[in-house]
């Protein structure tokens, strides 16, 4: 069989599997390009790309975004189109509209999209000269497309047309609009053109698309569960935290319930760090500006730092990081090789400027507390220290019921400090530690921080969503910048290695993740109220008070409800508050001292004496259940 016959057979096979595109080498093409590829590069293998693959689904969703833009232009001819990429979960398109889209508008756009899909218009690619494309979009009044084309270096650009709608796009696309089987528009939001707050605010429409209706329904059900678990919603319902615009966006107020959970997390964190031979530190919230110049933060993080303040003729900066303070403490004494490793840990609150458009509850804030630590060690200790940190990280995360992790090794970015040789040494040390621990990982090229490579550990929550929490970073840069050293066994001065690490990331974000992971139903050891004491009538109050005092004395967090409401109402209130256990106190309990305890899941258990319940609760708390 000749090469062209083989290619024809591959094309026929591709048609049978109903691909959305094809792959040849490392590039993706429209299905209509199969014959061209077969003629021009017959040595290239043509592989069908189906919607079941991640790349195929991305192409499928990008085509859906074009259909959405077509629908918007038919319904709102005055709208100007900008960009409409696919995303991890769907797609969006940004439009320049005088008035924001309404929920009713989304229904109209969906209906119009369905009509365009039924028309089964073919997606047709055309390559034109850049000047011709500029004239075309100028005539159409699409000024954003003209701006994009102006910045393209090539002499030609590719356009896609379906059913009279023309858009600038590299492609590829599905063969026709009829291929899109299941889609849904989800929401609208404002978005600055090119993400720059100095540019015009555009209207962004988000949507998603799947290969069939059952997959779409499964995803929409998932979104409903995400909505129920939204930490902002649960935070308000359980009175955990708030954000007050009068105080400032991105600044968290921890309410008593949230503060109790935070205290519990902090106590656990400190106790475990002391067991692991860390020294606990506290450092200031501001420092002279030249400290941040010396550390390099002013060069690399200036856009995320606040405006300096003048104090007695000197410029001070509110801290975006804790590391320079830890370096200063290290440098405050002479160090010997026998002293190393030195491990410093701090729950240090830092402040970074985040644009208001990206602030999001606890997940993206302007003031947050890092569970920060810095380890100073010799070069021969670096691998053992990284291994220890990996063990410690997994222990902490598993204690909070995270069992699945995605691990990434981030390598040298384009903008970096330090020598390439030191980068190589530290990257290899991180890699070797991951291999030793048999942790599967992916390389994240160029995503290291400016001073060194790093390991990022992302947890998967109960909905299988990925969250960035832990990071381990090797730093050759700051020890050199701050001129720190230790006296070696050869009686000479040597520079130590510095390892930055955070296990939970920030307490604010980690708390937000925990709220959504547990859906607000915190395990007993974390619950702000662990036991509710509920009376059936006024005559049971004395015995109930005795119980409250007993459990409080033994460290159980108790809430009493001795009100006049019926017991059913009190039980519902405890359930709404997601209190793990509620003791119901009536005549039988008051007379016999037995305790009927209702679990959060609705089950009842009888304890013969209060000490038996205390033992039960204490074991669950001590086991972090």
């Amino acid at each position: 069989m000749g090469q062209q016959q083989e290619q024809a057979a591959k094309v026929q096979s591709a048609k049978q599997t109903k691909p959305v595109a094809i792959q040849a080498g490392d590039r993706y093409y429209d299905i209509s390009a199969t014959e061209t590829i077969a003629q021009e590069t017959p040595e290239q293998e043509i592989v069908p790309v189906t919607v079941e693959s991640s790349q195929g689904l991305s192409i499928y969703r990008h085509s859906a975004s074009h259909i959405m833009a077509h629908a918007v232009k038919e319904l709102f001819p005055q709208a100007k189109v900008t960009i409409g990429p696919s995303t991890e979960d769907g797609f969006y398109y940004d439009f320049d509209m005088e008035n924001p889209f309404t929920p009713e508008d989304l229904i109209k756009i969906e209906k119009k999209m369905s009509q365009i899909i039924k028309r089964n218009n073919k997606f047709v690619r055309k390559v034109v000269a850049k000047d011709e494309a500029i004239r075309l979009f100028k005539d159409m009044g699409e000024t954003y497309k003209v701006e994009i084309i102006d910045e393209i270096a090539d002499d030609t650009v590719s356009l896609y047309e379906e059913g009279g709608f023309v858009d600038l796009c590299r492609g590829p696309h599905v063969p026709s609009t009829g291929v899109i089987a299941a889609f849904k528009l989800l929401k609208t939001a404002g978005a600055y053109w090119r993400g720059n707050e100095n540019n015009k605010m555009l209207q962004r429409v988000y949507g998603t698309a799947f290969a069939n209706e059952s997959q779409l329904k499964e995803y929409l059900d998932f979104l409903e569960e995400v909505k129920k678990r939204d930490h902002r919603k649960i935070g308000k319902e359980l009175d955990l935290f708030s954000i007050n615009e009068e105080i400032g966006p991105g600044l968290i107020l921890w309410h008593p319930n949230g503060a109790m959970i935070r205290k519990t997390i902090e106590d656990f964190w400190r106790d475990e760090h002391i067991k692991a031979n860390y020294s606990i530190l506290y450092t200031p919230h501001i420092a002279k500006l030249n400290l941040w110049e010396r550390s390099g933060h002013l060069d690399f993080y200036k856009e995320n730092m606040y405006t300096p303040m003048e104090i007695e003729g000197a410029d001070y900066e509110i801290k975006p990081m804790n590391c320079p303070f830890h370096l200063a403490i290290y440098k405050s004494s002479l160090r010997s090789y026998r002293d190393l490793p030195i491990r410093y840990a701090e729950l240090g609150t830092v402040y970074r400027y985040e644009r208001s458009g990206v602030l999001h509850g606890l997940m993206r804030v302007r003031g947050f507390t890092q569970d920060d630590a810095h380890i100073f060690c010799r070069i021969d200790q670096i691998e053992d220290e990284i291994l220890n940190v990996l063990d410690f990280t997994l222990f902490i995360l598993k204690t909070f019921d995270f069992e699945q992790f995605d691990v990434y090794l981030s390598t040298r970015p384009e903008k970096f400090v330090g020598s390439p040789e030191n980068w190589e040494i530290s990257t290899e040390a991180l890699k070797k530690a991951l291999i030793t621990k048999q942790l599967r990982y992916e390389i994240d090229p160029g995503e290291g921080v400016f001073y060194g490579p790093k390991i990022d550990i992302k947890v998967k929550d109960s909905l299988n969503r990925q969250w960035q929490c832990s990071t381990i970073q090797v730093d050759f840069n700051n020890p050199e910048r701050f001129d720190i050293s230790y006296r070696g066994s050869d009686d000479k001065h040597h520079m130590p290695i510095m390892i930055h690490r955070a296990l939970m990331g920030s307490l604010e974000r980690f708390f937000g993740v925990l709220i959504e992971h547990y859906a607000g139903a915190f395990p007993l050891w974390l619950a702000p109220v662990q036991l509710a004491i509920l009376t059936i009538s006024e005559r049971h109050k004395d015995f109930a008070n005795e119980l409250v005092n007993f459990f409080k004395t033994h460290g159980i967090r108790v809430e009493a409800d001795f009100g006049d409401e019926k017991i059913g109402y009190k039980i519902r209130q405890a359930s709404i508050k997601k209190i793990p256990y509620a003791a119901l106190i009536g005549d039988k309990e008051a007379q016999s001292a037995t305790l009927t305890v209702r679990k959060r899941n609705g089950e009842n258990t009888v304890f013969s004496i209060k000490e038996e319940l205390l033992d039960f609760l204490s074991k669950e708390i001590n086991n972090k259940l």
Side-chain angles (χ1 to χ4, degrees):
M1 184 182 291
Q3 284 182 324
Q4 288 197 8
Q5 289 176 307
E6 287 180 7
Q7 290 294 79
K10 288 172 185 171
V11 172
Q12 185 60 34
S13 173
K15 288 178 181 177
Q16 289 172 357
T17 57
K18 295 184 178 179
V20 294
I22 55 172
Q23 181 179 3
D26 59 357
R27 292 185 60 189
Y28 294 88
Y29 300 86
D30 300 318
I31 288 175
S32 59
T34 47
E35 292 180 8
T36 303
I37 296 168
Q39 291 172 359
E40 295 180 357
T41 55
E43 71 283 354
Q44 287 274 27
E45 181 182 7
I46 294 176
V47 179
V49 178
T50 67
V51 73
E52 284 74 27
S53 69
S54 59
Q55 186 61 38
L57 186 57
S58 177
I59 292 167
Y60 182 87
R61 287 170 169 169
H62 184 46
S63 298
S65 79
H66 274 239
I67 294 170
M68 180 173 72
H70 184 176
V72 168
K73 288 296 290 184
E74 284 199 8
L75 291 168
F76 307 94
Q78 75 279 14
K80 292 183 179 181
V81 293
T82 64
I83 57 169
S86 63
T87 65
E88 186 178 351
D89 299 315
F91 59 87
Y92 70 80
Y93 213 113
D94 288 346
F95 303 93
D96 184 350
M97 288 276 292
E98 187 175 340
N99 297 312
F101 291 112
T102 66
E104 293 73 24
D105 290 335
L106 290 194
I107 294 170
K108 292 177 187 176
I109 296 167
E110 277 189 348
K111 186 176 179 182
K112 181 61 69 174
M113 287 176 69
S114 295
Q115 293 172 3
I116 294 169
I117 288 168
K118 283 180 183 177
R119 295 172 199 165
N120 201 26
N121 303 324
K122 287 185 177 180
F123 277 94
V124 179
R125 183 173 187 264
K126 184 180 180 182
V127 177
V128 301
K130 197 171 151 183
D131 290 346
E132 182 183 340
I134 287 173
R135 284 195 300 272
L136 173 67
F137 285 108
K138 273 186 178 178
D139 291 343
M140 294 164 61
E142 299 292 357
T143 55
Y144 293 93
K145 296 295 180 182
V146 173
E147 183 179 329
I148 295 169
I149 296 169
D150 270 332
E151 295 174 356
I152 295 174
D154 297 337
D155 294 330
T156 60
V157 296
S158 64
L159 311 178
Y160 275 85
E161 185 269 336
E162 56 83 9
F165 175 71
V166 180
D167 206 349
L168 173 73
C169 187
R170 286 193 298 267
H173 280 286
V174 299
S176 65
T177 60
V179 171
I180 307 301
F183 73 94
K184 179 70 178 174
L185 299 188
L186 302 172
K187 62 179 180 178
T188 62
Y192 292 109
W193 170 234
R194 296 185 181 274
N196 187 331
E197 60 189 4
N198 295 317
N199 289 337
K200 188 169 185 180
M201 175 71 78
L202 306 175
Q203 299 304 311
R204 177 170 294 179
V205 180
Y206 288 94
T208 193
F210 286 88
N212 54 59
E213 289 290 343
S214 64
Q215 289 178 359
L216 176 61
K217 182 180 182 304
E218 183 180 341
Y219 179 71
L220 295 178
D221 289 344
F222 165 77
L223 290 185
E224 279 302 307
E225 185 61 30
V226 168
K227 196 174 177 182
K228 289 178 192 173
R229 290 171 179 256
D230 189 319
H231 72 280
R232 296 166 298 178
K233 172 178 174 289
I234 293 174
K236 187 173 183 179
E237 292 170 351
L238 300 185
D239 196 22
L240 300 175
F241 72 94
S242 64
I243 300 168
N244 188 310
E245 289 300 316
E246 198 171 359
I247 291 170
L251 302 173
I252 306 302
L253 299 174
W254 293 76
H255 293 205
N257 286 339
M260 180 56 71
I261 298 172
R262 174 171 174 158
K263 176 190 178 298
T264 305
I265 294 171
E266 288 187 0
D267 289 347
F268 165 68
W269 184 92
R270 287 191 181 93
D271 290 345
E272 294 302 327
H273 277 76
I274 290 168
K275 289 178 191 175
N277 295 315
Y278 283 78
S279 298
I280 305 298
L281 306 180
Y282 294 90
T283 61
H285 288 246
I286 62 172
K288 288 184 176 180
L289 188 64
N290 59 13
L291 181 75
W292 310 109
E293 291 172 345
R294 187 171 186 181
S295 68
H297 290 108
L298 202 59
D299 292 332
F300 289 87
Y301 286 105
K302 189 174 183 180
E303 68 278 6
N304 294 113
M305 295 170 69
Y306 287 95
T307 304
M309 65 192 88
E310 186 179 316
I311 302 175
E312 296 180 346
D315 285 336
Y316 281 74
E317 178 66 69
I318 192 166
K319 70 173 176 179
M321 300 280 187
N322 300 301
C323 30
F325 298 100
H326 293 197
L327 283 152
I329 293 172
Y330 177 93
K331 199 173 180 180
S332 66
S333 298
L334 296 174
R335 310 293 178 178
S336 162
Y337 71 98
R338 294 187 184 91
D339 299 325
L340 303 182
I342 292 173
R343 306 181 185 102
Y344 291 149
E346 177 183 14
L347 290 169
T349 301
V350 299
Y351 302 88
R352 298 180 193 170
Y353 171 61
E354 298 281 0
R355 287 174 171 79
S356 57
V358 300
L359 296 175
H360 179 71
L362 293 167
M363 304 304 193
R364 198 76 176 262
V365 295
R366 288 176 173 167
F368 57 93
T369 301
Q370 289 182 309
D371 71 313
D372 219 349
H374 296 94
I375 301 167
F376 300 91
C377 62
R378 305 188 306 265
I379 191 73
D380 60 295
Q381 296 172 321
I382 186 170
E383 190 178 333
D384 284 342
E385 287 305 305
I386 292 168
L387 289 170
N388 290 339
V389 172
L390 285 172
D391 284 339
F392 198 16
T393 301
L394 296 178
F395 162 70
I396 293 289
L397 295 177
K398 286 179 179 181
T399 300
F400 290 98
D401 196 33
F402 295 112
E403 294 292 339
Q404 291 184 294
F405 313 97
D406 288 329
V407 183
Y408 299 86
L409 175 59
S410 301
T411 58
R412 191 175 72 210
E414 198 171 305
K415 192 177 180 183
F416 68 95
V417 294
S419 71
E421 293 78 18
N422 282 342
W423 273 82
E424 185 64 28
I425 291 169
S426 49
T427 304
E428 284 304 310
L430 293 173
K431 187 184 296 183
K432 193 172 179 183
L434 290 171
I435 292 168
T436 301
K437 287 297 172 188
Q438 298 182 326
L439 289 171
R440 295 179 61 184
Y441 67 93
E442 292 180 30
I443 298 290
D444 203 359
E447 290 302 314
V449 286
F450 72 91
Y451 51 73
K454 62 174 179 168
I455 292 171
D456 285 326
I457 298 177
K458 300 182 181 182
V459 300
K460 288 191 173 179
D461 68 7
S462 52
L463 295 183
N464 206 36
R465 294 175 299 171
Q466 189 186 75
W467 299 96
Q468 169 66 54
C469 287
S470 312
T471 186
I472 306 166
Q473 305 168 357
V474 178
D475 186 355
F476 287 89
N477 171 56
N478 268 306
E480 185 176 345
R481 279 178 177 258
F482 283 85
D483 191 27
I484 64 170
S485 65
Y486 66 90
R487 188 174 292 277
S489 57
D490 58 1
D491 210 33
K492 294 180 180 178
H493 286 281
H494 301 269
M495 188 180 71
I497 306 301
M498 184 178 182
I499 299 172
H500 306 246
R501 54 111 281 218
L503 308 183
M504 296 181 289
S506 81
L507 289 186
E508 284 75 8
R509 191 165 187 271
F510 192 71
F511 185 41
V513 173
L514 288 180
I515 292 170
E516 299 197 4
H517 178 58
Y518 294 123
F522 293 98
L524 185 66
W525 75 282
L526 284 175
V529 177
Q530 296 166 324
L531 175 66
I533 307 290
L534 313 178
T535 55
I536 291 176
S537 75
E538 176 71 19
R539 64 180 177 274
H540 308 127
K541 188 173 179 179
D542 289 344
F543 177 60
N545 258 326
E546 180 187 323
L547 291 174
V548 169
N549 293 331
F550 171 79
F551 285 108
K552 278 188 176 179
T553 300
H554 287 86
I556 304 299
R557 299 192 284 271
V558 184
E559 180 178 286
D561 188 347
F562 301 163
D564 297 333
E565 295 85 359
K566 291 184 178 180
I567 192 66
Y569 173 83
K570 294 179 181 180
I571 291 170
R572 283 194 300 276
Q573 288 302 108
S575 176
I576 289 169
K577 295 177 181 178
K578 301 186 187 292
I579 298 172
Y581 295 99
L584 316 180
I585 310 302
D587 288 339
K588 182 180 73 171
E589 288 77 17
Q591 291 165 12
S592 66
T594 60
L595 295 176
T596 300
V597 176
R598 187 177 182 85
K599 296 181 182 179
R600 190 161 46 196
N601 63 8
E603 296 176 5
N604 284 348
T605 305
V606 177
F607 294 88
S608 57
I609 56 175
K610 61 182 180 291
E611 287 81 7
E612 185 182 354
L613 174 57
L614 175 63
D615 185 58
F616 173 82
L617 295 175
S618 298
K619 284 179 180 175
E620 189 170 325
I621 291 166
N622 291 336
N623 290 325
K624 302 289 190 292
L625 298 174

